[in-house]
Amino acid sequence: MPNLSQLLTSYSSLESQRVFEACRDLAVENDGVNGVYVVGGVVRDLVIGREPGDIDISVEGDAAGFATMLASRIGATAPVESQFLTFKIDTSDVFETFATIDIVTARSETYSESASLPDVETSSIEADLLRRDFTVNSMGISLSVETWGALFDPSNGFADILRKRIKVHHDGSFLDDPTRIFRAIRYASRLGFSFDARTEQLIENSIEVIDNLSGDRVRREFELILNELGFVEMLKSAEELDILAAISPGFRIGAKNFQILESLTENHQIPNDNQDLLALITFGLSDDEAAQVVARFNGPLDWGESIIGNAELAKRVTVLDRDDLLPSEVEELLHDVPEASIRAYQQIGPPLPRQKRLKDYLETIRFVTPEINGDDLLEIGIPQGPIIGEIMDIVRRARLDSKVVSKQEELELARSRFPGFLTS
Ligand code: ATP
């Protein structure tokens, strides 16, 4: 068993070292604890030489008591039980380099059916490591004083890190938990690793089990991909492995979309806003395909607005090529299309006259407002009610088309359009 204590000290941030040392001391103080290990992504990243993210600790024995003691020792608020036998400490107020510490009770897991919640049983660290997704994520380093720094690596993840490969533990892994298909793509691309041949074959054979995942779980995995720096490469890999079509039959990302996404990445212009990103990714889907994708992701109401918006815009956009179109007509066509969809069309759509209209709409037309407001209309004797909105709309359209150019002209227009019989 190699000793990696150097990784716990010289190679870890001072904040991580504080946590590891607190774990070591608390394992002595708590009689109910038989072993404490730092596990998962932290070990993987330390071995690779990458900056680790949040800390995962696995405890043989009393994880609940241990988590409470650890939170108090590092000055964090009390842990919360986030899942069965898992306790989360929020460290965002205490540390700068990581936001949470997850403390799990070492356990084994079995799945009664695909994508179900696992049946859980407390176990040794070896079994806890072997229930995990990939060999490279299945290493633990002991934080107990007697074995401080000892590497626990029951599936030889260390060798897979050296070989730069992502490998599952057994043939049923993706069937048990289809989210691992998405995780595999994330890790391979993020770490610059490839799948071992069997794992790749298993992914190809298992993609239909993505159907067993709820919309919320698929959306969460998809969003995790979008949050990654290398998300474009990850989406490419998902497209190549037919994973997008497995999410929803019509879901695909076109070559032009990828080309634009790549060039935005190169120029550090990837939008922060998810609506913009989703519009760029799904540009080109038909009405039905867009509706199916949004339904499959089971998003909150606003989640798929720009996906649906793309398809809606595609239906209307040819009208924008007419050269006799007035600004007010452009406004009428576009006012209920999400701006993200319009921006996506500007990036990916064909270079036709419509592009000038889209630009005018985004840059000027949508900001034009009349000088008068509802109060001005009340003042000239137009009564309160929906008629105010109607007349304001007429004035706004006239303003857009430069048929009125001053407040005075706006008021005259309003007066002339007000049906006198409506005054009581
Ligand atoms: P990241 O760097 O993306 O945060 P991580 O490896 O820390 O990666 P988490 O999602 O925080 O990943 O999960 C922590 C650990 O829990 C993983 O390293 C892995 O060992 C295990 N794990 C997470 N999700 C699964 C899963 N679906 N199936 C099996 N093991 C999992």
Side-chain angles (χ1 to χ4, degrees):
M1 209 183 294
N3 191 291
L4 303 184
S5 54
Q6 275 226 55
L7 290 185
L8 302 179
T9 50
S10 339
Y11 288 78
S12 290
S13 69
L14 290 176
E15 292 182 335
S16 302
Q17 288 181 42
R18 236 185 93 194
V19 173
F20 299 153
E21 282 159 15
C23 288
R24 180 192 60 204
D25 299 346
L26 292 171
V28 175
E29 291 169 33
N30 185 332
D31 289 343
V33 170
N34 303 318
V36 179
Y37 309 83
V38 56
V39 292
V42 178
V43 179
R44 178 200 66 220
D45 288 343
L46 285 174
V47 171
I48 293 174
R50 287 170 60 94
E51 183 74 32
D54 292 340
I55 294 186
D56 291 300
I57 303 284
S58 183
V59 173
E60 287 171 320
D62 177 20
F66 182 85
T68 305
M69 290 167 83
L70 179 60
S72 143
R73 182 69 50 101
I74 60 176
T77 49
V80 287
E81 186 162 6
S82 57
Q83 293 161 36
F84 189 49
L85 299 180
T86 302
F87 306 88
K88 202 177 261 306
I89 301 176
D90 179 348
T91 58
S92 49
D93 290 338
V94 190
F95 296 129
E96 282 173 10
T97 45
F98 49 89
T100 58
I101 304 175
D102 275 337
I103 293 143
V104 303
T105 314
R107 76 301 193 87
S108 59
E109 291 180 344
T110 45
Y111 293 79
S112 57
E113 55 186 279
S114 176
S116 65
L117 284 179
D119 298 318
V120 171
E121 229 176 88
T122 58
S123 73
S124 65
I125 184 66
E126 282 84 3
D128 182 75
L129 294 170
L130 288 170
R131 74 172 165 87
R132 292 166 185 270
D133 46 5
F134 308 110
T135 58
V136 296
N137 285 344
S138 304
M139 295 180 285
I141 301 178
S142 173
L143 302 175
S144 305
V145 72
E146 315 80 38
T147 47
W148 172 260
L151 174 69
F152 287 72
D153 183 12
S155 57
N156 211 0
F158 197 91
D160 284 328
I161 286 184
L162 299 183
R163 289 181 193 161
K164 291 180 169 262
R165 64 182 196 176
I166 300 294
K167 184 178 166 193
V168 283
H169 292 297
H170 60 92
D171 288 1
S173 184
F174 295 120
L175 194 66
D176 284 348
D177 181 353
T179 64
R180 291 175 187 162
I181 296 176
F182 297 92
R183 295 177 64 83
I185 286 176
R186 274 181 25 231
Y187 290 124
S189 171
R190 189 203 295 169
L191 305 174
F193 286 17
S194 38
F195 305 125
D196 88 303
R198 179 168 137 259
T199 301
E200 183 156 357
Q201 185 67 51
L202 289 170
I203 293 179
E204 283 168 19
N205 295 347
S206 318
I207 54 170
E208 73 272 18
V209 296
I210 288 174
D211 258 354
N212 298 341
L213 290 173
S214 68
D216 289 343
R217 290 184 77 191
V218 183
R219 190 179 72 252
R220 195 183 116 73
E221 292 304 321
F222 194 73
E223 284 178 341
L224 286 175
I225 288 183
L226 297 190
N227 290 341
E228 295 266 350
L229 273 180
F231 79 96
V232 179
E233 193 187 324
M234 296 178 195
L235 291 176
K236 267 195 159 164
S237 172
E239 172 80 46
E240 277 158 24
L241 289 163
D242 289 334
I243 288 167
L244 299 180
I247 294 175
S248 179
F251 191 11
R252 64 189 176 282
I253 304 175
K256 183 83 192 288
N257 304 40
F258 274 127
Q259 194 190 319
I260 298 294
L261 286 165
E262 272 162 0
S263 108
L264 290 173
T265 307
E266 255 167 48
N267 298 314
H268 308 286
Q269 285 173 341
I270 284 293
N272 289 325
D273 187 297
N274 252 11
Q275 286 295 336
D276 278 278
L277 213 49
L278 289 170
L280 289 167
I281 289 167
T282 62
F283 186 89
L285 298 188
S286 73
D287 245 4
D288 285 351
E289 290 163 347
Q292 279 168 14
V293 167
V294 172
R296 177 63 179 110
F297 281 118
N298 191 33
L301 266 185
D302 61 346
W303 195 88
E305 256 172 29
S306 64
I307 303 179
I308 305 279
N310 282 349
E312 190 53 46
L313 178 59
K315 284 190 291 186
R316 302 183 193 176
V317 79
T318 43
V319 182
L320 294 175
D321 288 339
R322 285 178 47 167
D323 55 13
D324 58 347
L325 216 58
L326 293 168
S328 62
E329 291 171 312
V330 174
E331 205 265 351
E332 201 170 349
L333 275 165
L334 297 178
H335 77 277
D336 57 350
V337 175
E339 284 158 30
S341 303
I342 300 177
R343 284 190 284 269
Y345 201 100
Q346 289 186 298
Q347 307 263 13
I348 312 181
L352 292 168
R354 65 191 70 165
Q355 292 287 2
K356 162 97 175 59
R357 303 286 195 195
L358 296 176
K359 185 170 188 288
D360 287 349
Y361 175 75
L362 283 186
E363 289 177 7
T364 47
I365 293 178
R366 72 193 167 109
F367 298 116
V368 172
T369 49
E371 282 183 57
I372 59 167
N373 57 32
D375 288 341
D376 295 313
L377 297 187
L378 291 173
E379 236 167 67
I380 61 169
I382 299 178
Q384 190 71 266
I387 190 74
I388 296 267
E390 303 289 351
I391 292 190
M392 281 302 289
D393 191 48
I394 291 169
V395 173
R396 179 170 141 70
R397 289 171 63 99
R399 187 89 206 189
L400 275 167
D401 299 339
S402 306
K403 289 179 180 157
V404 292
V405 293
S406 67
K407 186 170 180 181
Q408 196 49 41
E409 285 180 14
E410 287 178 4
L411 282 173
E412 274 162 26
L413 175 67
R415 232 184 248 114
S416 74
R417 293 299 176 91
F418 175 62
F421 59 80
L422 284 181
T423 32
S424 50

